[in-house]
Amino acid sequence: MRPSGDEDELLRLIRRYVTPDRRYLKVGGALVGTSGRDRAKFLKKLGKAAGEISPRELGTLLAGGWRERKTAAWLIAVAGRTEFRERLGELLLASEGPYAGQAYCVALATFGTSADVEPLVAYLDRYLRRPDLHYDQEAALGALLLLDAKLGADHAARFLAPNGLWQQWIDGPPSKDRDVPDSYREFIGQLCVFAVEAAKSCSTRRLGVTAADG
Protein backbone atom coordinates (compact mmCIF):
# COMPACT_ATOMS: atom_id res chain seq x y z
CA MET A 1 0.00 0.00 0.00
CA ARG A 2 1.30 3.44 -0.90
CA PRO A 3 2.36 5.60 2.08
CA SER A 4 0.02 8.40 3.13
CA GLY A 5 0.87 12.01 2.45
CA ASP A 6 2.26 12.41 5.97
CA GLU A 7 4.42 9.31 5.54
CA ASP A 8 5.63 10.58 2.17
CA GLU A 9 6.62 13.86 3.80
CA LEU A 10 8.47 12.13 6.63
CA LEU A 11 10.36 9.89 4.22
CA ARG A 12 11.34 12.93 2.15
CA LEU A 13 12.63 14.73 5.22
CA ILE A 14 14.55 11.67 6.38
CA ARG A 15 16.26 11.37 3.02
CA ARG A 16 17.10 15.07 2.97
CA TYR A 17 18.10 15.76 6.56
CA VAL A 18 18.60 12.55 8.57
CA THR A 19 20.40 9.93 6.52
CA PRO A 20 22.86 11.90 4.30
CA ASP A 21 26.40 10.99 5.38
CA ARG A 22 24.76 8.95 8.18
CA ARG A 23 24.12 12.25 9.92
CA TYR A 24 21.92 10.73 12.60
CA LEU A 25 24.84 8.60 13.78
CA LYS A 26 27.53 11.27 13.59
CA VAL A 27 25.84 14.07 15.50
CA GLY A 28 26.85 13.68 19.12
CA GLY A 29 29.82 11.98 20.69
CA ALA A 30 31.03 10.50 17.41
CA LEU A 31 32.15 14.00 16.40
CA VAL A 32 34.77 14.03 19.14
CA GLY A 33 36.72 11.23 17.48
CA THR A 34 36.35 12.58 13.94
CA SER A 35 39.39 14.12 12.26
CA GLY A 36 39.48 17.90 12.10
CA ARG A 37 39.04 18.13 8.34
CA ASP A 38 36.20 15.61 8.20
CA ARG A 39 34.49 17.23 11.17
CA ALA A 40 34.71 20.70 9.63
CA LYS A 41 33.19 19.39 6.40
CA PHE A 42 30.41 17.62 8.29
CA LEU A 43 29.61 20.65 10.46
CA LYS A 44 29.45 22.92 7.44
CA LYS A 45 26.83 20.67 5.85
CA LEU A 46 24.99 20.43 9.16
CA GLY A 47 24.86 24.21 9.41
CA LYS A 48 23.59 24.55 5.88
CA ALA A 49 20.84 21.99 6.56
CA ALA A 50 19.86 23.80 9.77
CA GLY A 51 19.36 26.96 7.74
CA GLU A 52 17.24 25.22 5.12
CA ILE A 53 14.81 23.19 7.23
CA SER A 54 11.58 24.90 8.25
CA PRO A 55 10.00 24.90 11.72
CA ARG A 56 7.14 22.78 10.39
CA GLU A 57 9.59 20.23 9.03
CA LEU A 58 11.45 20.15 12.32
CA GLY A 59 8.16 19.45 14.06
CA THR A 60 7.56 16.54 11.70
CA LEU A 61 10.96 15.07 12.50
CA LEU A 62 10.39 15.47 16.23
CA ALA A 63 7.27 13.34 15.85
CA GLY A 64 9.31 10.53 14.29
CA GLY A 65 11.66 7.92 15.74
CA TRP A 66 14.93 8.41 17.61
CA ARG A 67 16.97 9.02 14.45
CA GLU A 68 14.67 11.80 13.34
CA ARG A 69 14.40 13.33 16.82
CA LYS A 70 18.13 13.24 17.44
CA THR A 71 18.89 14.90 14.12
CA ALA A 72 16.13 17.48 14.55
CA ALA A 73 17.42 18.44 18.00
CA TRP A 74 20.87 19.10 16.56
CA LEU A 75 19.44 21.17 13.72
CA ILE A 76 17.43 23.12 16.29
CA ALA A 77 20.56 23.69 18.38
CA VAL A 78 22.57 24.89 15.38
CA ALA A 79 19.85 27.27 14.20
CA GLY A 80 19.12 28.53 17.72
CA ARG A 81 15.41 27.84 17.38
CA THR A 82 14.45 28.51 20.96
CA GLU A 83 10.75 28.20 20.11
CA PHE A 84 11.33 24.44 20.40
CA ARG A 85 12.58 24.69 24.00
CA GLU A 86 9.32 23.51 25.54
CA ARG A 87 8.95 20.62 23.09
CA LEU A 88 12.52 19.45 23.67
CA GLY A 89 11.92 19.60 27.42
CA GLU A 90 8.80 17.50 27.05
CA LEU A 91 10.60 14.90 24.97
CA LEU A 92 13.52 14.79 27.40
CA LEU A 93 11.25 14.30 30.39
CA ALA A 94 9.15 11.65 28.65
CA SER A 95 12.25 9.61 27.67
CA GLU A 96 10.13 7.54 25.30
CA GLY A 97 13.07 6.12 23.37
CA PRO A 98 16.85 5.79 23.32
CA TYR A 99 19.68 7.85 21.86
CA ALA A 100 17.98 11.25 21.43
CA GLY A 101 18.09 12.57 25.00
CA GLN A 102 21.68 13.75 24.79
CA ALA A 103 20.77 15.83 21.74
CA TYR A 104 17.97 17.56 23.64
CA CYS A 105 20.45 18.42 26.41
CA VAL A 106 22.92 19.82 23.88
CA ALA A 107 20.21 22.02 22.36
CA LEU A 108 19.15 23.39 25.76
CA ALA A 109 22.75 24.03 26.76
CA THR A 110 23.45 25.75 23.45
CA PHE A 111 20.45 28.06 23.90
CA GLY A 112 22.19 29.07 27.09
CA THR A 113 19.53 30.98 29.04
CA SER A 114 17.87 30.67 32.43
CA ALA A 115 14.76 29.33 30.71
CA ASP A 116 16.76 26.28 29.66
CA VAL A 117 17.53 25.34 33.25
CA GLU A 118 13.99 24.28 34.14
CA PRO A 119 13.64 21.25 31.83
CA LEU A 120 17.04 19.93 32.90
CA VAL A 121 16.20 20.31 36.59
CA ALA A 122 12.84 18.61 36.04
CA TYR A 123 14.56 15.71 34.29
CA LEU A 124 17.16 15.25 37.03
CA ASP A 125 14.51 15.49 39.74
CA ARG A 126 12.64 12.62 38.13
CA TYR A 127 15.35 10.31 36.84
CA LEU A 128 18.01 10.59 39.53
CA ARG A 129 15.39 8.98 41.75
CA ARG A 130 15.51 5.94 39.48
CA PRO A 131 18.93 4.28 39.84
CA ASP A 132 17.55 1.35 37.87
CA LEU A 133 17.24 3.60 34.80
CA HIS A 134 20.48 4.61 33.10
CA TYR A 135 19.12 7.11 30.60
CA ASP A 136 20.55 10.60 30.03
CA GLN A 137 21.31 11.61 33.60
CA GLU A 138 24.96 12.36 32.80
CA ALA A 139 24.10 14.52 29.78
CA ALA A 140 21.45 16.43 31.72
CA LEU A 141 23.81 17.09 34.62
CA GLY A 142 26.57 18.15 32.24
CA ALA A 143 24.22 20.57 30.48
CA LEU A 144 23.00 21.98 33.79
CA LEU A 145 26.56 22.49 35.05
CA LEU A 146 27.39 24.23 31.78
CA LEU A 147 24.42 26.58 32.16
CA ASP A 148 25.34 27.23 35.79
CA ALA A 149 28.84 28.24 34.72
CA LYS A 150 27.50 30.58 32.05
CA LEU A 151 24.74 32.11 34.13
CA GLY A 152 26.63 32.38 37.42
CA ALA A 153 24.05 30.08 39.02
CA ASP A 154 24.22 26.96 41.16
CA HIS A 155 21.16 24.90 40.24
CA ALA A 156 23.17 21.68 40.20
CA ALA A 157 24.37 22.05 43.80
CA ARG A 158 21.45 20.30 45.46
CA PHE A 159 21.83 17.28 43.18
CA LEU A 160 25.55 17.04 43.95
CA ALA A 161 25.28 17.52 47.73
CA PRO A 162 26.72 14.70 49.88
CA ASN A 163 24.26 11.80 49.82
CA GLY A 164 22.16 13.82 47.37
CA LEU A 165 20.25 12.50 44.39
CA TRP A 166 23.32 12.23 42.17
CA GLN A 167 25.19 10.07 44.69
CA GLN A 168 22.08 7.99 45.31
CA TRP A 169 21.72 7.36 41.60
CA ILE A 170 25.41 6.46 41.20
CA ASP A 171 25.34 4.11 44.19
CA GLY A 172 22.05 2.46 43.35
CA PRO A 173 22.00 -0.80 41.40
CA PRO A 174 23.09 -1.52 38.77
CA SER A 175 26.68 -0.28 39.09
CA LYS A 176 27.58 2.83 37.08
CA ASP A 177 30.69 4.68 35.99
CA ARG A 178 32.00 7.15 38.55
CA ASP A 179 33.37 9.93 36.37
CA VAL A 180 33.50 13.28 38.11
CA PRO A 181 30.53 15.53 37.25
CA ASP A 182 32.78 18.10 35.59
CA SER A 183 33.71 15.52 32.97
CA TYR A 184 30.09 15.53 31.79
CA ARG A 185 30.11 19.33 31.70
CA GLU A 186 33.24 19.27 29.57
CA PHE A 187 31.76 16.69 27.22
CA ILE A 188 28.49 18.55 26.68
CA GLY A 189 30.50 21.75 26.33
CA GLN A 190 32.52 20.19 23.52
CA LEU A 191 29.34 19.18 21.71
CA CYS A 192 28.03 22.72 22.11
CA VAL A 193 31.24 24.01 20.53
CA PHE A 194 30.52 21.82 17.53
CA ALA A 195 26.95 23.18 17.31
CA VAL A 196 28.24 26.75 17.40
CA GLU A 197 30.84 25.91 14.76
CA ALA A 198 28.11 24.49 12.51
CA ALA A 199 26.05 27.64 13.11
CA LYS A 200 28.61 29.65 11.16
CA SER A 201 27.20 28.00 8.03
CA CYS A 202 23.55 28.44 9.08
CA SER A 203 21.74 31.21 7.23
CA THR A 204 18.98 31.51 9.86
CA ARG A 205 21.06 31.36 13.04
CA ARG A 206 19.33 33.37 15.75
CA LEU A 207 21.86 33.18 18.55
CA GLY A 208 25.50 34.05 18.93
CA VAL A 209 27.97 31.96 20.86
CA THR A 210 26.15 30.81 23.98
CA ALA A 211 26.86 28.19 26.61
CA ALA A 212 29.61 26.69 24.52
CA ASP A 213 31.95 29.63 25.00
CA GLY A 214 32.35 28.70 28.67
Side-chain angles (χ1 to χ4, degrees):
M1 184 167 60
R2 179 176 173 78
S4 68
D6 288 346
E7 291 172 332
D8 278 339
E9 171 72 355
L10 179 58
L11 289 173
R12 181 185 70 79
L13 294 175
I14 290 172
R15 285 193 294 267
R16 182 171 181 183
Y17 293 109
V18 179
T19 57
D21 297 323
R22 305 184 79 187
R23 179 177 289 152
Y24 69 93
L25 287 178
K26 293 181 181 178
V27 287
L31 285 170
V32 176
T34 305
S35 71
R37 178 177 294 181
D38 289 342
R39 184 168 60 233
K41 183 178 179 182
F42 177 85
L43 293 176
K44 185 174 183 178
K45 289 182 178 179
L46 183 67
K48 186 172 183 291
E52 293 172 350
I53 193 167
S54 71
R56 181 186 64 79
E57 291 171 330
L58 285 167
T60 298
L61 289 181
L62 287 177
W66 70 265
R67 297 170 182 82
E68 295 91 329
R69 290 179 175 185
K70 180 184 178 186
T71 306
W74 268 86
L75 294 172
I76 287 166
V78 171
R81 292 191 175 276
T82 56
E83 69 267 31
F84 284 96
R85 176 187 291 114
E86 182 176 354
R87 180 61 177 144
L88 294 178
E90 290 170 352
L91 290 169
L92 179 63
L93 193 61
S95 288
E96 295 173 338
Y99 307 123
Q102 181 191 93
Y104 307 148
C105 294
V106 170
L108 293 168
T110 303
F111 293 161
T113 74
S114 58
D116 303 295
V117 168
E118 182 178 348
L120 294 168
V121 167
Y123 179 87
L124 291 169
D125 261 328
R126 175 177 294 186
Y127 288 102
L128 288 181
R129 300 175 193 277
R130 294 292 307 273
D132 57 314
L133 301 179
H134 198 163
Y135 285 176
D136 297 290
Q137 288 93 335
E138 293 104 328
L141 181 65
L144 184 59
L145 285 168
L146 200 64
L147 286 172
D148 275 351
K150 176 179 176 59
L151 300 170
D154 205 10
H155 298 95
R158 66 182 179 88
F159 298 115
L160 297 174
N163 299 315
L165 287 178
W166 176 255
Q167 192 62 50
Q168 292 174 37
W169 180 75
I170 289 290
D171 290 343
S175 62
K176 304 173 187 69
D177 293 336
R178 291 178 176 269
D179 288 345
V180 295
D182 274 349
S183 68
Y184 303 121
R185 175 186 57 80
E186 292 168 2
F187 177 68
I188 296 297
Q190 184 62 67
L191 298 186
C192 288
V193 168
F194 295 149
V196 172
E197 181 65 27
K200 295 176 182 178
S201 301
C202 176
S203 60
T204 59
R205 176 68 178 174
R206 298 182 182 180
L207 301 176
V209 177
T210 56
D213 60 2

